[in-house]
Amino acid sequence: MNALHISIYGRVQAVGFRNWIKENADSRKLSGWARNASDGSVEVFLQGDEDLINELLALCWEGPSIADVEDVLAQDSSIQESVTSFEIH
């Protein structure tokens, strides 16, 4: 199992990005969370199968249809054993 912390920049708040991430994470059986950051970005934590995480990371550049993604930054993270599902904060 791997973990990744992702920050997504652009017009990504108030466009359904967190729900879109949750749907895509759930369909890949990834756990983690998504939340709006104070700088206007969306912050995401994912953990699970490395290939499935990388698949969703690549999709983050597209996002939901009304989003306008300008940048996606990702860094390896530590596994959080207490996180067993995907939540929106």
Side-chain angles (χ1 to χ4, degrees):
M1 180 162 29
N2 288 339
L4 199 64
H5 185 265
I6 307 167
S7 294
I8 305 155
Y9 298 90
R11 188 169 58 100
V12 294
Q13 289 189 7
V15 295
F17 212 105
R18 293 175 299 157
N19 287 327
W20 179 88
I21 285 280
K22 179 175 176 28
E23 289 173 14
N24 280 279
D26 286 347
S27 70
R28 290 167 177 79
K29 301 201 178 351
L30 299 172
S31 57
W33 48 261
R35 65 182 174 207
N36 287 333
S38 60
D39 65 359
S41 67
V42 169
E43 189 178 358
V44 179
F45 172 76
L46 294 172
Q47 63 185 20
D49 180 82
E50 181 179 15
D51 291 338
L52 295 174
I53 289 174
N54 288 334
E55 192 178 283
L56 184 48
L57 175 61
L59 287 176
C60 285
W61 283 96
E62 299 171 25
S65 59
I66 59 174
D68 182 18
V69 177
E70 294 175 3
D71 201 7
V72 177
L73 302 177
Q75 65 183 38
D76 290 333
S77 189
S78 299
I79 300 294
Q80 296 180 13
E81 297 292 339
S82 62
V83 177
T84 58
S85 62
F86 196 90
E87 303 292 331
I88 296 175
H89 297 289

